[in-house]
Every structure is written in C-alpha cells, then in structure tokens.
Amino acid sequence: MPDLIVIGGGAIGLSVAWRAAQRGAAVAVADPHPGGGASHVAAGMLAPVSEAQLGEPELLALGIASWRRYPEFIAELESLAGFGTGYARCGSLMVARDADDLALLDRELRVRQQMRLQVERITAAACRELEPSLAPSIRAGMFAADDHSVDPRRLLRALLAACTASGVVLLPERARLVIDDRVRGVMIRGTRYDATSVVIAAGAETGRVEGLPEHLRGLVRPVKGQILRLAQAEPTLLRHIIRGAEGYIVPRADGEVVVGATVEERGFDEQITAGAVHQLLRHACELVPDAAELRFVEVSAGLRPGTRDNAPLIGRTDVDGLLMAAGHHRNGILLAPVTADSVSALATGDAPPVEAAAFSPLRFGGRSMVSA
C-alpha cells in the first residue's frame, strides 16, 4: 500500500513524488499521460526577477527560494537520469522599442529597485553588445543576470527517470478520490488503492478530479496559452532570454527558440488560432528580425492552472489526508523544487519551508465558509 498517491504527472506532481520517495515514502503517481499537460508546453523560464510584480512579496520570496534550489535539484536529476535538462544560467534582457516601451521599462526598473532585486538599466548599444541580433530600433534595456532557464520537456523526462529510479509507481490512468471522514486513497478502473495521503497536482484539471469535494473544485481555473517553437541550424542567434512588452523569446543550446505566449481566459479551449501565431511571430521579428529566417517547428496550446489570486495552492486542505500542489499559473516549472520540498515534507510529517506558508489552500476558506 502506498503512503502517498499523487494525482497529476506534470512537473509539480512528479517533483513531489520524487522528493517524497527520497524521504522514504512509498509513492504512486496517477496520470493518464505522465509528463504531459501544461509542463510539456511551457517555455521553461526560471525568472523570479524579471517576472516580479509589485504587491506580491510572498510570491517573489517563494520564487527566489525555488530558484535557489534549482542548481542542486538539476544536478541530482541529471545524475539519476543520465542526461541533461537544458538548464542554462542565461540571464534575461527586457528591451524597449518606442516611447511607450521606455516608460514601461522604467516602471519595471523602479519596481525591482524597490524590491532590492539585482537588475541593471543598459543603453541600446549595451543591449546590442549582449545580443547583436536585436533590432536597430531597440532603444534601451533592463538586464537581470540571475534569471535562468530549463528545457521543460527534458526536465519532465528526467523527472520520470528519477521517479522510476526512486521506486515511484506510475499508474497511467485517471484516478477518483475515495473520501469518507478523511482521504482513504483512489479508485482506478475499479481497483482501489489505499493510501495515507493523496496530493492533488492535476494542474488546470484539478476541478475535474472525480471525488474532489465540491468546495475545492472551483479553486483552479484554466488559463490558455499558445506558444511557438522555432529552430536554427546553429545556436548562434541569441544567448539570453529576450523580453518585450508583448512576450518573450527563449533560446536553447540545441538551437531551439521558444516564442511565447498568449494569456487567454477561454476555459478549456485548446484550439490553435491564426491570430495568436501571427501575434507571436510579429513580436518576435520586431525584436529580432532574423527570427523570420528560423525554421517553424511547432505551435502548441496549454492550460495554465490559475487561482483567484493567481498564486499557488501548496499544503493541506480541510480534508484530513488531502493535500494540494496546484494553481501555479505561469510559474509551475520555476516553483517545482520548493513545492516538492513543501508538500513532501507535510506528507511525511516534517515542517515545510517557511516561504510556502502564505500559499495554504485554506486561505480561500473551508467547507463551513463555503456553505455559509
């Protein structure tokens, strides 16, 4: 009998399962397509500095705590998996093309200075020294040297390998929660799997998990994102993450170039639209004209898991034995290490990292508050 069953096999669920197994727990992961979902579509930016928002100090602290864990997290994964994850200490360059962009750049710079984050405003010449392929129209930039990136698809393959090596059982099926006075386990195709604890890590599908109590179903909503993957014959076009007013470009050492991403409140719609492809390509070519010469590889759509405050749900619910690791919105890849440490600690009777305290699912109330 497993001690812990994780429902959801994306970056968050697999990371939780791996860390829990390392703590000595018997763990199973239930997901019809492990290694898929929004994690498979993500760009893989590890950028708490360039994505910081004023008024979200707890989320910033959580992101930095997870970012600091990444080098060891990646080293362990790559050692177990025997292959790389595309982890790169590349930095982010936010650029401005016109007067409106310059005003936005200066606002973003002031926000980060108020939060005492390490960023630098640089001239147009300095931008092109960092990235010679930038458009001549670039007028200034803000450089965040500490932003990193990882290839989410390689990361997922490494997490699957690490889980297998650590004894995690993969159940490639949908699971239904079994709850009476507390969580008892899950049902999969008529077979009951008992467990002491169950973790909901089902991303945007959280509200669709069968057996989930009604008051927990509405905590997570899908937020659509469309994203492009291009390729260059030799990876020389870009060396850093490039961020403009309407999106970003993420280069990889193997020549892949990721362009993203739309943010659309369209429910569970995953249709690819011509308008989104046009928007993303236009913005990429405005920032880096030579992007027009890259080979078009893929366009995909994923569903980010958003919450009412767009911050994650990490920790115990008001149902005994039921935990959540969901609602990470745009930060699932970044927050995987700290979420895994937090939830695996709670599931095995230890104290979680202090940075996770603000993200309890109980902040939205329990059954009594909902029924009232």
Side-chain angles (χ1 to χ4, degrees):
M1 183 181 87
D3 301 308
L4 178 68
I5 295 175
V6 180
I7 298 179
I12 295 293
L14 293 174
S15 297
V16 169
W18 175 43
R19 286 307 199 203
Q22 287 183 314
R23 289 172 172 271
V27 185
V29 173
D31 189 309
H33 305 289
S39 299
H40 185 75
V41 179
M45 291 182 293
L46 310 175
V49 173
S50 63
E51 295 204 325
Q53 299 290 324
L54 193 63
E56 297 179 344
E58 295 90 356
L59 187 57
L60 174 62
L62 188 72
I64 290 175
S66 203
W67 171 85
R68 286 176 176 154
R69 285 166 164 78
Y70 245 97
E72 182 178 350
F73 182 78
I74 291 296
E76 287 186 63
L77 269 181
E78 292 182 345
S79 177
L80 277 172
F83 55 84
T85 58
Y87 179 63
R89 301 170 185 254
C90 53
S92 290
L93 178 60
M94 182 175 178
V95 295
R97 296 178 55 251
D98 54 31
D100 289 341
D101 285 357
L102 278 172
L104 174 63
L105 184 77
D106 287 333
R107 286 198 300 272
E108 295 294 332
L109 181 68
R110 287 194 297 271
V111 164
R112 284 151 185 78
Q113 289 173 336
Q114 290 175 39
M115 294 187 285
R116 299 183 179 180
L117 299 176
Q118 295 300 310
V119 292
E120 178 185 6
R121 194 187 196 282
I122 61 176
T123 65
C127 288
R128 276 184 283 278
E129 186 174 338
L130 285 172
E131 291 291 359
S133 297
L134 285 173
S137 59
I138 298 301
R139 297 174 62 177
M142 179 180 72
F143 188 54
D146 290 335
D147 282 355
H148 300 165
S149 69
V150 70
D151 184 334
R153 295 180 180 182
R154 292 186 181 185
L155 178 70
L156 287 165
R157 290 198 296 271
L159 282 166
L160 285 166
C163 283
T164 299
S166 302
V168 174
V169 176
L170 297 177
L171 304 170
E173 302 284 351
R174 292 191 179 277
R176 177 171 61 84
L177 281 168
V178 177
I179 299 175
D180 44 39
D181 58 322
R182 56 159 289 123
V183 159
R184 298 297 177 182
V186 302
M187 291 287 293
I188 297 177
R189 288 187 175 271
T191 300
R192 176 163 162 167
Y193 296 82
D194 291 333
T196 305
S197 301
V198 174
V199 178
I200 305 298
E205 296 283 329
T206 292
R208 293 179 165 184
V209 173
E210 291 186 54
L212 187 70
E214 191 62 34
H215 69 286
L216 299 175
R217 287 188 176 278
L219 295 184
V220 177
R221 75 186 192 284
V223 182
K224 181 180 178 181
Q226 298 185 61
I227 193 167
L228 310 179
R229 281 175 166 79
L230 313 176
Q232 51 187 324
E234 296 182 6
T236 57
L237 182 65
L238 297 170
R239 293 171 292 178
H240 307 84
I241 298 167
I242 307 298
R243 303 180 68 94
E246 299 176 43
Y248 54 77
I249 307 172
V250 183
R252 306 212 196 283
D254 64 0
E256 182 176 74
V257 177
V258 181
V259 180
T262 65
V263 180
E264 308 170 52
E265 298 281 356
R266 295 186 179 275
F268 284 93
D269 170 24
E270 295 182 72
Q271 293 292 319
I272 303 297
T273 63
V277 174
H278 172 74
Q279 171 191 331
L280 293 169
L281 285 174
R282 175 184 55 79
H283 185 247
C285 292
E286 286 174 349
L287 299 180
V288 182
D290 286 347
E293 303 302 318
L294 299 181
R295 180 167 56 88
F296 193 98
V297 176
E298 177 187 306
V299 56
S300 52
L303 300 175
R304 308 176 186 93
T307 63
R308 297 177 208 169
D309 56 6
N310 286 330
L313 305 166
I314 303 173
R316 297 187 181 95
T317 70
D318 58 353
V319 178
D320 190 19
L322 182 63
L323 300 93
M324 297 190 81
H328 291 73
H329 200 237
R330 299 176 55 157
N331 296 306
I333 302 298
L334 169 64
L335 296 178
V338 74
T339 301
D341 286 350
S342 301
V343 176
S344 64
L346 288 169
T348 55
D350 292 329
V354 295
E355 293 88 355
F359 302 99
S360 166
L362 298 174
R363 71 183 185 273
F364 293 121
R367 283 170 287 193
S368 60
M369 292 184 67
V370 171
S371 61

